Amino acid sequence: MKLFFKFSLLIIGSLFTLSVFAQENTPVPLKTIPVKNKKGDSVVYKRDSIISNRKGVRQLDLTDALEVLFGVLPEKKPDTVTTKPSITIIPALGYTLVTRLAFVLSGNMAFRTGPQSRISTIIASSAITENKQFTFPVQTNIWSKNNTYHFVGDYRYYKYPQSTYGLGSSSNIQDEDPMDYSYFQFYQTVMRHITGDIYLGLGYILDNHWDVSDKGDRDGTVSDYSTYGKTSHSIASGFTFNFLMDGRDNAINPSKGDYVSMQYRDNYSFMGSTTAWRSLILDARTYINLPKGSDNTLALWSYDWLILNGRPAYLDLPATQWDTFSVTGRGYIQGRFRGAQMVYAEAEYRYKISDNGLLGGVVFLNGQSLSAAPGTKLQAIQPGYGPGIRIKLNTISKTNIAIDYGFGRQGSRGLFIDVGEIF
């Protein structure tokens, strides 16, 4: 029975190693999801203590539920991460209508650089799909011994067939232009603690697209990509200036607090950029206990991605689900809307279904407006909305498995699965 129980946990863990955007009609690339705290502390083990809510009801997660179901006594696990690295590697098979069969190998390493330092992580994964997609992202969060410095890295290689649908949020889903390209990303930022919840930082950033090709709009019309300017190879290379204020009580599943980040990016021709251009990303979030004293949360998010001047290559323009964690625009395929200015807002209400915390639910509503080429105005607001289910994966970190079904305009809809809250 214990062997069957462990096998069941492995299967469930493997299934949720995949980030599946099961959209209808249009292919979507497979993306792996690292199980991590987006603020940096990413490995929390089950403790032997029992967690109860304010009503005295024991809080359960998926592991607890399976232990009860199979009658298996819980294993004692350490509740700390030491300077000795802890390594986990998980292979997985996945299948969706849009990616077809996919093989994923995902691993993470957690450690501390000193006895009092926050948990540092290195997370890597690779995915090969039947749709000839290949991804290899590596993400690092390294804290100094005294937590004064935080080194954040995001490195990716993609072989990435993906369609584009033109520029602006008024673009038509029928104007699909199948594209293919290879992509390498190198983002490295050093953040320094200033005071309280405030950090300032500098970074170097590189986006390199090559072997870019397209087949043209399926309806035979001239594509926006052609009008904007085709290029088989583009490089964006420059520095970033970063500000962060993070007052959330839990970065994985916040119930209160505020979060504000700003990234100013300056790309220079002398550093290898195809063209010189500048951008600004503003990310603001707040979390409200509603009704007060309950376990429910109203989460509000504003994400603005703006090209300040210059003319980036087409694939460097702001686009749906091309934010850092690929979570904007539930209800739409990745890359559905693209343009020089992106204004985005979302509200989500998170509520508990079961008193033991194992099951929860959400309803969400988002809206995005994008301009077309630089110098043009914002176009129509495109809404996305839908319900979702939350399954508690870990009671200590409050990590949930997030399963949402989103709806958008022009028949766009699909299933979105993630680990941790969307924002």
Side-chain angles (χ1 to χ4, degrees), residues 193-246:
H193 180 248
I194 303 301
T195 181
D197 298 322
I198 296 176
Y199 293 79
L200 294 177
L202 297 173
Y204 171 72
I205 196 165
L206 169 71
D207 291 290
N208 186 0
H209 296 87
W210 70 96
D211 291 338
V212 183
S213 64
D214 75 312
K215 296 181 179 179
D217 283 5
R218 293 186 184 276
D219 60 6
T221 58
V222 178
S223 68
D224 282 358
Y225 174 49
S226 297
T227 303
Y228 186 83
K230 290 188 177 184
T231 177
S232 62
H233 184 203
S234 67
I235 295 176
S237 174
F239 296 111
T240 64
F241 302 89
N242 304 272
F243 167 86
L244 173 65
M245 189 282 291
D246 193 347

Side-chain angles (χ1 to χ4, degrees), residues 94-108:
Y95 182 87
T96 70
L97 294 176
V98 293
T99 63
R100 294 188 288 178
L101 187 66
F103 174 77
V104 180
L105 185 65
S106 180
N108 66 70

